Amino acid sequence: MLTHSHSSIKDFQGCARRYHQVKILKRFKSQPTEATTYGNLVHEAFEKYLMEDTPLPEHLSKHQPVLDKIKSMPGDRHCELKLGMRQDFTPCGFFDSDVWFRGIPDLLIVNGTTAWVGDWKTGKSSRYADTSQLELMAAMAMTHFPEVQKVKGMLFFIVPNDVILSFHKRDQLPEILSKWAGHASVIEAHLKNDVWNASPSGLCKFCPVSQEVCEHR
């Protein structure tokens, strides 16, 4: 059984052939870039500040007011909490043998019937912000915390210092889960039929798949 996540679904939607070569066959591996390395540093610094009161590096200190507001919010605060969900939509461990979907919200605060999920973004613009990640994380939060009735979400774009918000309620949960199950079923159908067409675009030059495997590389 395949294991899915927001990033793996997006990888497949971007290019089925790349997904197959990288995620399933594991013949190629995406290499770290300057952008991904910076993103990892930001995530680590924010987590240490929020959970351990470790001072922010000087170049990130301008974001302290936003993080201080987060620290002042009531509830149980988690960073990088590993969440798993089975195919019947019940919660499970991230590494359980029957895990079907995985998610790791950068931030999760649970306060009674309300939860907050957040994700840090290091892109230069929030113009094309994709809140679908917040939707899936909200669903997984409600799955793991049955007392939660509503989930507020936040994408924090640190370069433009912009915040994109979302809001989901428990009565939306069946619709959200059905949507993501549908995304997963498309991938599983491709696996059954063993059809992995390429989706050529301007991003092909960054693809780790070799020219021997893909003519668009």
Side-chain angles (χ1 to χ4, degrees), residues 88-209:
D88 62 358
F89 305 128
T90 56
C92 68
F94 191 83
F95 298 107
D96 285 0
S97 60
D98 57 348
V99 65
W100 186 46
F101 260 91
R102 287 176 172 148
I104 309 178
D106 293 341
L107 171 72
L108 172 62
I109 299 175
V110 179
N111 183 35
T113 60
T114 302
W116 271 93
V117 292
D119 196 80
W120 324 128
K121 299 297 183 183
T122 53
K124 295 181 179 180
S125 173
S126 62
R127 182 177 180 182
Y128 301 107
D130 179 7
T131 59
S132 64
Q133 181 179 7
L134 297 177
E135 177 188 73
L136 180 58
M137 291 304 99
M140 297 192 75
M142 287 187 279
T143 299
H144 276 262
F145 299 92
E147 71 274 18
V148 171
Q149 300 299 312
K150 56 185 179 181
V151 182
K152 300 176 181 180
M154 172 187 69
L155 296 178
F156 179 27
F157 286 81
I158 72 166
V159 175
N161 201 34
D162 197 9
V163 173
I164 307 297
L165 301 175
S166 69
F167 181 77
H168 298 92
K169 299 185 295 182
R170 181 164 287 276
D171 60 11
Q172 297 173 277
L173 186 56
E175 180 182 354
I176 296 172
L177 293 176
S178 177
K179 171 184 173 179
W180 287 93
H183 291 324
S185 68
V186 173
I187 299 178
E188 289 156 9
H190 277 67
L191 181 64
K192 180 179 179 180
N193 297 321
D194 197 26
V195 176
W196 307 96
N197 294 323
S199 300
S201 73
L203 298 176
C204 289
K205 59 184 177 181
F206 303 110
C207 182
V209 176

Side-chain angles (χ1 to χ4, degrees), residues 11 13-19 22 28 30 197-217:
D11 283 345
Q13 292 174 342
C15 181
R17 184 173 298 172
R18 180 186 62 207
Y19 172 91
V22 174
F28 304 95
S30 297
N197 294 323
S199 300
S201 73
L203 298 176
C204 289
K205 59 184 177 181
F206 303 110
C207 182
V209 176
S210 69
Q211 291 180 338
E212 288 75 17
V213 174
C214 183
E215 68 275 17
H216 303 292
R217 180 64 179 84

Side-chain angles (χ1 to χ4, degrees), residues 38-49:
Y38 177 68
N40 291 335
L41 291 174
V42 168
H43 280 69
E44 182 180 2
F46 281 15
E47 178 179 357
K48 287 185 175 181
Y49 182 75

